């Protein structure tokens, strides 16, 4: 170990971050320690989860890479010079090489050209107590592939679990308490015990909670790691003392615990244990005679019905953590209802069915007319995505979009959508039904910012022999700012083809006005929430008037969305709005009904 520290000090070529992580490594006394069977179980778990032949947990020092735990290769150490992990260890996100042969940094690497013939690599940092990276958990395959954002999250999560295991103090917490109170388990034991519990107990009577100690990171930064670990120890004691319902618990990250508890206390069948726990969490912890407020937040499910294996428990925790980001910091107890839990489980189910639905063309579109305010005739349609899952029923378009993002197939969905709608639009045009009407398609700013976007658009317009001016693209106001330059460049390129752009749900994003002039949009769609208020609130009309004159002054047209009453329609016409859309005129309808409307050139009525 002393050697290692010396090496760290004399290795001039390492940057400060790397030196720090080497120092952390030497402090953690892991290099020559016993191989941890727990980590072996986790790497085996990872190999199965990601379906890869090689999984390594490697530690790096100045010259070498030690394979602390491995599935696959039969070597224990290798040269740092050739190490993929040496790149991953300085990368805060998952370091991914989809195909090493196509990457100039690795194409000639002996591990790529020779055994084990690495093609795919993905590694996530394993961190020491003080958050210094000390090693990498990585997946390796001999064929090219890439991870979806969901899989990247899972890999990071597993690496975090290993961080917790290798962090000596945390290990001490778990081991000591595993002896003392039975319920505090290491993460791996937690997952295996969870699946056993799910098999044995009535799932309805069990709930799952995630406790986050919001002030812990700050405590570590101001008072030091040893102190923040003392706080965690006290938290464990408090969990044991205060909450009789907890069956098992584990630490799933630096500032987070996960637990499974019986829903009701045996003595008192009416008070939920989680509510008791929530109250208990707000009693300040006593650490060295000092009162510490850890600002605990508890997120919990009221039942584990529908889950039946440890994999699903892990998924649930991942989903809960994503879900918890939507809640404000001062919210202390967040209940994940049965409905929501069900949604999480369904999400998993339909996510799995989605690639097939795309292939089998089960996803289709309905169309909602957009009405010209002057003539009250149809000026165009908005295409709305529809999918009916065989058992779960209709799935909302935003869920389809986010699931595709999780699966990493969002580009496929974009092509599918454009292809479907262009084909239909071209058919109407060929049948002389379309006239000068336009068809609009919803796209996320993320899709529009993709370097592939304009290529796909051009190719599919050509395939269907459709001039671009029949197509309008509706962009959600939210998210445009993230990648403004690329988004705008793609918009300008598409506009050369005649494509028109509108900003959807205008008024719901908070920075709207400030960057509106930077976006080359032709149409604003005023969000339904403004229209809803028209009936009750006088100032709502004033606001809409302001938006309309602002838009007109910049040469844009206005669409009012979500019109449901004749009064709203009349007011909006008086306010000089250009187009109407909403249930008052027409709900979204399937193609056959659109054909009928176009054939008779329907005229709508205001009242
Ligand atoms: O965000 P965007 O404007 O793309 O949303 C369109 C959605 O709004 C569609 O799902 C459509 O069914 C729905 N919608 C359209 N008109 C109305 C309406 O008048 N009332 C309500 N509640 N929803 C509407
Ligand atoms: Mn829309």
């Amino acid at each position: 170990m002393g050697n290692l520290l010396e090496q760290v000090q004399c290795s001039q070529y390492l940057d400060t971050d790397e030196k720090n992580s080497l120092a952390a490594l030497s402090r953690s006394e892991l290099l020559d320690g016993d191989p941890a069977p727990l980590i072996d179980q986790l790497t085996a778990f990872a190999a199965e989860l990601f379906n890869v032949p090689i999984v390594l947990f490697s530690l790096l020092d100045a010259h070498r890479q030690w394979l602390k735990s491995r599935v696959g290769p039969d070597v224990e150490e290798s040269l740092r010079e050739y190490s993929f992990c040496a790149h991953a260890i300085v990368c805060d996100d998952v370091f991914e090489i989809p195909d090493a042969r196509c990457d100039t940094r690795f194409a000639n690497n002996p591990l790529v050209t020779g055994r084990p013939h690495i093609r795919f690599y993905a590694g996530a940092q394993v961190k020491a107590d003080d958050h210094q990276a000390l090693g990498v958990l990585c997946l390796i395959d001999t064929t090219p592939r890439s991870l979806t954002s969901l899989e990247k999250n899972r890999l990071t999560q597993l690496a975090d679990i290993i961080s917790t295991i290798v962090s000596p103090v945390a290990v001490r917490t778990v081991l000591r308490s595993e002896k003392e109170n039975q319920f505090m388990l290491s993460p791996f034991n937690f997952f295996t015990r969870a699946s056993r519990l799910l098999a044995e107990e009535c799932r309805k009577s069990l709930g799952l909670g995630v406790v986050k100690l919001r002030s812990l990171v700050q405590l570590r930064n101001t008072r030091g790691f040893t102190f923040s670990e003392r706080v965690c120890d006290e938290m464990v004691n408090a969990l044991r003392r205060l909450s009789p319902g907890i069956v098992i618990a584990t630490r799933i990250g630096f500032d987070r615990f996960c637990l499974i508890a019986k829903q009701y206390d045996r003595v008192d069948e009416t008070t939920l244990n989680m509510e008791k726990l929530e109250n208990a969490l707000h009693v300040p912890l006593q650490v060295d005679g000092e009162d510490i407020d850890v600002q605990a937040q508890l997120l919990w499910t009221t039942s584990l019905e529908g889950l039946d294996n440890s994999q699903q428990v892990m998924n649930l925790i991942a989903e809960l953590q994503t879900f918890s980001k939507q809640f404000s910091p001062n919210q202390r107890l967040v209940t994940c209802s049965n409905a929501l839990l069900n949604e999480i489980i369904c999400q998993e189910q339909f996510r799995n069915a989605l690639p097939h639905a795309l292939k089998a063309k089960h996803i289709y579109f309905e169309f909602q007319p957009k009405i010209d305010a002057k003539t009250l005739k149809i000026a165009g349609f908005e295409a709305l995505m529809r999918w009916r899952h065989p058992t779960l029923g209709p799935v909302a378009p935003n869920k389809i979009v986010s699931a595709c993002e999780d699966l990493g197939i969002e580009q496929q969905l974009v092509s599918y959508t454009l292809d479907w709608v262009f084909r239909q639009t071209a058919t109407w045009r060929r049948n002389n039904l379309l006239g000068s009407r336009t068809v609009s398609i919803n796209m996320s700013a993320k899709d529009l910012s993709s370097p592939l976007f304009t290529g796909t658009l051009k190719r599919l317009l050509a395939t269907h022999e459709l001039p671009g001016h029949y197509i309008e693209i509706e962009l959600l106001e939210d998210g445009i700012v993230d990648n403004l330059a690329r988004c705008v460049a793609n918009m300008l390129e598409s506009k050369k083809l005649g494509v028109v752009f509108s900003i959807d749900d205008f008024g719901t994003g908070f920075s709207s006005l400030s960057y509106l002039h930077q976006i080359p949009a032709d149409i604003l769609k005023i969000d339904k929430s403004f229209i809803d208020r028209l009936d009750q609130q006088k100032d709502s009309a004033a606001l809409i008037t302001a938006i309309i004159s602002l838009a007109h002054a910049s040469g844009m047209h206005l669409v009012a969305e979500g019109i449901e009453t004749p009064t709203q329609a009349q007011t909006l016409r008086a306010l000089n709005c250009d187009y109407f859309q909403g249930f008052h005129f027409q709900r979204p309808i399937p193609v056959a009904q659109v054909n009928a409307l176009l054939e008779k050139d329907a005229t709508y009525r205001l009242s």
Side-chain angles (χ1 to χ4, degrees), residues 248-464:
I248 49 174
T250 188
R251 195 164 164 188
I252 52 168
F254 174 72
D255 54 359
R256 278 178 305 254
F257 293 89
C258 181
L259 48 91
I260 290 181
K262 291 236 194 313
Q263 281 219 69
Y264 290 99
D265 196 338
R266 230 173 303 147
V267 234
D268 175 3
E269 289 289 323
T270 55
T271 321
L272 278 171
N273 272 326
M274 290 288 185
E275 275 169 17
K276 274 195 205 161
L277 173 62
E278 202 274 330
N279 287 329
L281 285 175
H282 299 295
V283 179
L285 294 174
Q286 281 267 321
V287 181
D288 305 335
E290 198 181 330
D291 277 352
I292 303 292
D293 178 11
V294 288
Q295 297 173 29
Q297 269 180 313
L298 173 67
L299 173 66
W300 67 291
T301 66
T302 46
S303 142
L304 294 183
E305 223 173 347
L307 299 188
D308 53 18
N309 58 45
S310 59
Q311 173 71 61
Q312 283 180 340
V313 172
M314 190 145 160
N315 285 344
L316 175 63
I317 294 169
E319 301 282 1
L320 283 181
Q321 295 206 54
T322 320
F323 176 68
S324 67
K325 289 188 192 128
Q326 302 166 15
F327 292 85
S328 65
N330 50 18
Q331 220 168 342
R332 301 191 316 188
L333 174 69
V334 181
T335 310
C336 177
S337 63
N338 272 355
L340 189 70
L341 176 64
N342 211 19
E343 200 176 294
I344 287 173
I345 295 163
C346 291
Q347 204 167 347
E348 186 78 15
Q349 277 179 25
F350 87 75
R351 192 157 40 207
N352 296 339
L354 201 49
H356 174 71
L358 277 173
K359 220 176 274 162
K361 301 206 183 298
H362 288 163
I363 294 174
Y364 62 101
F365 290 80
E366 286 188 337
F367 296 85
Q368 186 178 35
K370 193 165 74 179
I371 290 109
D372 185 310
K374 292 204 179 70
T375 62
L376 295 181
K377 285 191 179 291
I378 297 176
F381 296 93
E382 174 172 359
L384 294 159
M385 191 185 287
R386 299 288 182 255
W387 178 37
R388 186 173 282 279
H389 184 280
T391 54
L392 305 168
V395 181
N398 58 351
K399 294 215 175 121
I400 302 177
V401 172
S402 71
C404 280
E405 281 171 6
D406 286 347
L407 290 164
I409 56 173
E410 61 264 47
Q411 188 54 39
Q412 254 164 279
L413 186 68
V414 169
S415 307
Y416 184 94
T417 302
L418 296 182
D419 185 54
W420 207 105
V421 178
F422 289 0
R423 171 170 299 138
Q424 184 54 55
T425 309
T427 308
W428 283 323
R429 179 174 174 243
R430 252 197 326 275
N431 296 340
N432 291 320
L433 288 172
L434 195 58
S436 58
R437 298 178 183 94
T438 56
V439 176
S440 71
I441 302 174
N442 292 290
M443 284 277 132
S444 75
K446 199 172 157 202
D447 293 332
L448 198 66
S449 313
S450 156
L452 301 173
F453 182 80
T454 49
T456 311
L457 182 82
K458 278 182 199 165
R459 178 172 56 80
L460 290 170
L461 282 174
T463 306
H464 297 289

Side-chain angles (χ1 to χ4, degrees), residues 537-582:
Q537 269 169 269
K538 288 218 175 64
D539 58 346
S540 177
L543 199 55
I544 292 179
T545 310
I547 296 177
I548 293 180
S549 31
L550 173 92
H552 282 165
S554 359
M556 286 192 265
H557 283 130
L558 267 127
V559 182
E561 291 182 288
I563 301 174
E564 291 180 343
T565 69
T567 325
Q568 289 169 346
Q570 277 150 4
T571 314
L572 285 161
R573 190 190 228 181
L575 293 179
N576 227 355
C577 179
D578 305 296
Y579 301 99
F580 300 145
Q581 201 182 326

Side-chain angles (χ1 to χ4, degrees), residues 370 440-443 448 472-477 480 491 499-506 519-525 556-557 559:
K370 193 165 74 179
S440 71
I441 302 174
N442 292 290
M443 284 277 132
L448 198 66
E472 175 183 324
I473 287 175
E474 297 191 11
L475 250 170
L476 222 62
E477 185 194 343
I480 302 180
M491 282 171 85
V499 174
V500 173
F501 285 89
S502 55
I503 295 183
D504 209 354
D505 300 344
F506 182 74
I519 300 163
D522 313 278
I523 298 164
L524 281 191
K525 298 190 78 174
M556 286 192 265
H557 283 130
V559 182

